[in-house]
């Protein structure tokens, strides 16, 4: 414990760096995924293509990507932007499928009712479909959050400061406590992010707690999403499971 | 008054759901479109608020061609009630009822006040206003659906099998409630059902549809019962099964009405 107590300042500042690198990709990934997921869900032809591309993106190894990005973006090799962009790509890769699935899961009857009430297409999306997709979107976002927090560490290999430094430095100098503190701090960030997301869900989606169908859809999607993420992003798209045009019948 | 003039609807897959339909739906009356599935009744209903666009022909409301109107505005001026209520699950009962007035720009507080009165109209306790739809029974949800359909005080109310998914006792309650509401409000109601008993109960005018939206017979329930226009109509209304062929038997000095199989259905009052 001595090492930890003597280096609390370092751990804290690395934790802040880690958080600062993890938050933008989660938010950007979410925002960018919405239009892509919408297109994937809206048009039959684009669904398979977009979901396959986004699935493949997740399989790109992170280290080479971080090294290649400066050349592509014209940024400095040590620029944190590289990590943010790289992690945003992974976030999008995971999130596009969630957005497409979440929109496909919105009940066709409710969508028709909204049209019949006189919502314009734009109003219907933002006031009906998007909120109703909320539970599934949140489930996807939780997976993205955990994935991003863990991937930030890789940035340390290319010299961008994060908790990853503690693994690298601890391994080189053979200080087990340092390695362990990096792992624990990363886990804590992931847990805190997850709790914040769940809390946000409670506040923003009060109806989901009352609605048993939404709850069920949510749980199912969390399970699939986690399974998909641990398998390195599922590439295969099964149209029978999530074809929106079939869900409407 | 809603008027269809030789209206055809052909879907992209080639199905002709409605074939050259001409039909007048009188104002302030209930017209029931009845037929089995595939008779085009829901398609006809949805062409009135342009959720389904006609392929050819004309549809007019009070002499105005609805295709000259903005479809979103048109829909906001027409009440719509559907099966399984179609309530927005993420909005409280009160917010569901105020949906259309709020879309029309009515102030929220004002719309809420009116919505509470509407809950009374459809026989719902005001305490349910702050609940979410999933916390209500099927019958209650359907009542909210009716309240929502009436909220913008439309002249026209479209009802697409609104009571199809509730149990028979609740359905009967809702039917009586609708008859009472219609007596008070006098809307132009277009009601779609596959249940001929419901059609005869609710309809001032009943339109019996065959495949492709062809009218098999059109008239008051009494006209259709007294003179079925074809074997199809006779079968559909149950005349051929003797369910509607009643006769009188004297039992204990009273005139008991029995059907063809001799099952008593009531007593004649004289």
């Amino acid at each position: 414990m001595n090492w930890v107590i003597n280096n609390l300042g370092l751990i804290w500042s690395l934790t802040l760096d880690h958080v600062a690198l993890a938050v933008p990709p989660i938010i950007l990934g979410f925002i960018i995924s919405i239009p892509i997921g919408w297109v994937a869900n809206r048009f039959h032809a684009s669904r398979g293509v977009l979901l396959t591309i986004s699935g493949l993106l997740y399989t790109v190894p992170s280290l080479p990507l971080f090294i290649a990005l400066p050349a592509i973006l014209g940024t400095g090799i040590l620029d944190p932007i590289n990590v943010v962009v790289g992690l945003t790509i992974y976030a999008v890769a995971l999130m596009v499928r969630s957005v497409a699935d979440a929109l496909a899961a919105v009940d066709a009857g409710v969508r028709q009712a909204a049209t019949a009430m006189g919502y314009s297409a734009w109003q219907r999306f933002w006031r009906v479909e998007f909120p109703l997709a909320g539970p599934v979107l949140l489930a996807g976002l939780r997976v993205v959050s955990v994935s991003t927090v863990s991937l930030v560490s890789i940035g340390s290999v290319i010299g961008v400061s994060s908790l990853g430094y503690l693994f690298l430095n601890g391994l080189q100098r053979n200080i087990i406590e340092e390695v362990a503190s990096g792992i624990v701090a990363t886990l804590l960030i992931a847990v805190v992010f997850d709790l914040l997301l769940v809390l946000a869900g409670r506040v923003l989606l009060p109806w989901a707690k009352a609605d048993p169908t939404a709850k069920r859809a949510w749980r199912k999607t969390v399970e699939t999403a986690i399974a998909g993420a641990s398998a390195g992003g599922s590439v295969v798209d099964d149209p029978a499971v999530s074809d929106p045009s079939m869900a409407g019948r | 008054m809603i008027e269809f003039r030789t209206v055809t609807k052909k879907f992209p897959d080639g199905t002709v759901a409605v074939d050259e339909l001409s039909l007048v739906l009188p104002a302030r009356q209930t017209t029931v479109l009845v037929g089995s599935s595939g008779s085009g009744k829901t398609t006809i209903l949805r062409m009135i608020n342009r959720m389904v666009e006609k392929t050819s022909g004309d549809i007019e409301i009070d002499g105005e061609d609805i295709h000259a109107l903005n479809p979103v505005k048109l829909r906001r001026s027409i009440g719509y009630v559907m099966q399984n209520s179609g309530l927005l699950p993420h909005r409280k009962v009160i917010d569901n009822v105020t949906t259309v007035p709020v879309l029309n720009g009515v102030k929220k507080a004002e719309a809420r006040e009116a919505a509470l009165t509407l809950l009374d109209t459809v026989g719902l306790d005001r305490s349910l206003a702050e609940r979410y739809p999933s916390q209500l029974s099927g019958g209650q949800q359907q009542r909210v659906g009716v309240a929502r359909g009436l909220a913008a005080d439309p002249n026209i109310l479209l009802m697409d099998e609104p009571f199809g998914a509730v149990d028979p006792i609740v359905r009967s309650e809702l039917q009586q409630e609708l008859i009472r509401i219609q007596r008070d409000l006098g809307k132009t109601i277009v009601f779609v059902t596959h249940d001929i008993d419901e059609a005869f109960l609710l309809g001032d005018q009943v339109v019996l549809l065959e495949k492709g939206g062809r009218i098999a017979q059109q008239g008051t329930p009494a006209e259709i019962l007294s003179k079925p226009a074809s074997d199809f109509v006779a079968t559909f209304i149950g005349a051929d099964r003797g369910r509607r062929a009643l006769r009188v038997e004297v039992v204990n000095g009273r005139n008991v009405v029995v059907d063809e199989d001799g099952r008593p259905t009531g007593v004649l009052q004289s």
Side-chain angles (χ1 to χ4, degrees):
Chain A
M1 282 309 273
N2 250 343
W3 187 92
V4 174
I5 290 160
N6 291 334
N7 291 281
L8 270 180
L10 174 70
I11 296 173
W12 179 242
S13 81
L14 289 175
T15 303
L16 292 182
D17 288 347
H18 202 99
V19 169
L21 284 172
V23 170
I26 296 172
I27 295 172
L28 287 173
F30 180 58
I31 294 171
I32 295 169
S33 302
I34 293 169
I36 303 177
W38 182 85
V39 172
N41 175 56
R42 179 68 183 74
F43 305 102
H44 192 84
S46 56
R47 184 181 169 86
V49 176
L50 284 173
L51 292 187
T52 305
I53 291 173
S54 71
L56 283 172
L57 273 182
Y58 198 75
T59 64
V60 174
S62 49
L63 196 51
L65 181 68
F66 288 161
I67 294 167
L69 275 174
I72 299 166
L73 300 172
T75 44
I77 188 101
L78 289 178
D79 199 329
I81 293 282
N82 301 324
V83 175
V84 170
V85 171
L87 293 180
T88 302
I89 290 173
Y90 290 125
V92 170
L94 281 178
M95 200 62 206
V96 164
R97 170 172 289 271
S98 288
V99 174
D101 288 350
L103 292 175
V106 174
D107 183 65
V110 172
R111 219 169 13 223
Q112 279 174 5
T115 306
M117 294 302 104
Y119 282 96
S120 66
W122 181 258
Q123 286 171 327
R124 194 184 67 187
F125 179 80
W126 289 110
R127 298 198 204 167
V128 179
E129 294 174 62
F130 190 67
L132 285 178
V136 180
L137 291 176
L138 179 61
L141 205 52
R142 289 173 70 183
V143 175
V144 168
S145 161
V146 172
S147 152
T148 306
V149 168
S150 75
L151 281 172
V152 166
S153 307
I154 314 267
S156 292
V157 180
I158 56 163
V160 177
S161 171
S162 74
L163 287 168
Y165 171 82
L166 297 179
F167 317 143
L168 291 173
N169 193 259
L171 278 174
Q172 278 160 10
R173 293 165 61 196
N174 209 10
I175 307 173
I176 298 303
E177 281 181 321
E178 188 175 1
V179 175
S181 65
I183 294 171
V184 170
T186 310
L187 278 175
L188 279 176
I189 294 175
V191 169
V192 169
F193 277 22
D194 197 54
L195 287 176
L196 287 175
L197 285 172
V198 171
L199 199 70
R202 288 272 159 84
V203 175
L204 296 172
L205 311 166
W207 55 274
K209 235 173 75 181
D211 193 337
T213 36
K215 243 180 177 168
R216 225 176 301 130
W218 183 8
R219 198 164 305 138
K220 195 171 149 246
T221 316
V222 175
E223 282 159 12
T224 358
I226 290 171
S230 58
S234 146
V235 180
V236 186
D237 179 35
D238 183 352
V241 178
S242 42
D243 185 341
S245 63
M246 289 168 87
R249 300 298 143 91
Chain B
M1 185 178 78
I2 306 167
E3 192 172 357
F4 285 77
R5 272 199 233 116
T6 55
V7 172
T8 296
K9 175 63 195 179
K10 195 172 171 185
F11 284 106
D13 65 359
T15 323
V16 179
V18 178
D19 192 11
E20 304 213 331
L21 173 80
S22 291
L23 177 65
V24 173
L25 310 167
R28 300 189 167 275
Q29 288 196 14
T30 304
T31 301
V32 179
L33 307 177
V34 61
S36 22
S37 36
S39 62
K41 53 193 193 298
T42 296
T43 305
I44 295 171
L45 185 85
R46 289 186 173 178
M47 282 196 283
I48 298 173
N49 71 353
R50 293 182 62 185
M51 283 175 72
V52 171
E53 295 283 8
K54 51 127 203 196
T55 310
S56 64
D58 282 310
I59 304 170
E60 289 180 357
I61 294 177
D62 296 331
E64 196 174 4
D65 180 6
I66 62 167
H67 295 89
L69 305 170
N70 173 308
V72 170
K73 275 206 188 117
L74 173 74
R75 288 175 199 138
R76 287 180 193 172
S77 71
I78 296 177
Y80 195 91
V81 185
M82 59 195 282
Q83 198 176 8
N84 296 320
S85 81
L87 297 177
L88 306 180
H90 63 307
R91 314 204 56 199
K92 290 174 181 169
V93 165
I94 187 87
D95 297 318
N96 263 289
V97 178
T98 59
T99 302
V100 186
V102 168
L103 282 172
N104 279 334
V106 175
K107 289 214 174 59
K108 217 169 172 184
E110 204 176 304
R112 283 183 157 240
E113 201 47 53
L116 288 174
T117 317
L118 265 175
L119 290 185
D120 301 339
T121 308
V122 298
L124 276 177
D125 198 286
R126 290 184 175 206
S127 67
L128 298 176
E130 298 298 321
R131 300 252 186 106
Y132 287 103
S134 62
Q135 296 169 316
L136 268 52
S137 72
Q140 288 170 329
Q141 288 182 24
Q142 220 52 55
R143 285 172 194 263
V144 177
V146 174
R148 182 176 67 175
L150 292 168
D153 196 21
N155 292 325
I156 298 172
L157 190 59
L158 307 180
M159 307 186 84
D160 188 4
E161 302 206 36
F163 310 144
V166 292
D167 69 63
I169 294 169
V170 175
R171 186 182 314 147
S172 159
E173 276 173 27
L174 290 168
Q175 288 165 343
Q176 293 308 323
E177 204 81 43
L178 181 65
I179 291 171
R180 183 182 58 75
I181 291 170
Q182 173 64 348
R183 204 185 304 130
D184 295 345
L185 302 180
K187 302 286 182 192
T188 305
I189 297 181
V190 188
F191 192 107
V192 161
T193 182
H194 57 259
D195 176 354
I196 188 67
D197 292 319
E198 188 168 61
F200 284 162
L201 176 67
L202 300 174
D204 297 311
Q205 181 188 217
V206 173
V207 180
L208 236 149
L209 296 161
E210 283 181 77
K211 266 221 158 354
R214 265 183 298 274
I215 299 174
Q217 192 170 2
Q218 171 182 6
T220 65
E223 283 165 0
I224 294 175
L225 267 173
S226 60
K227 202 177 173 206
S230 63
D231 289 348
F232 172 81
V233 176
T235 308
F236 201 93
I237 66 176
D240 65 331
R241 295 190 302 277
R243 203 158 60 93
R244 309 265 181 206
L246 308 176
R247 56 203 159 77
V248 172
E249 276 179 7
V250 179
V251 181
N252 291 333
R254 305 280 304 270
N255 289 323
V256 176
V257 181
V258 298
D259 67 15
E260 209 168 48
D261 301 325
R263 273 191 294 264
T265 62
V267 179
L268 270 191
Q269 305 289 317
S270 49

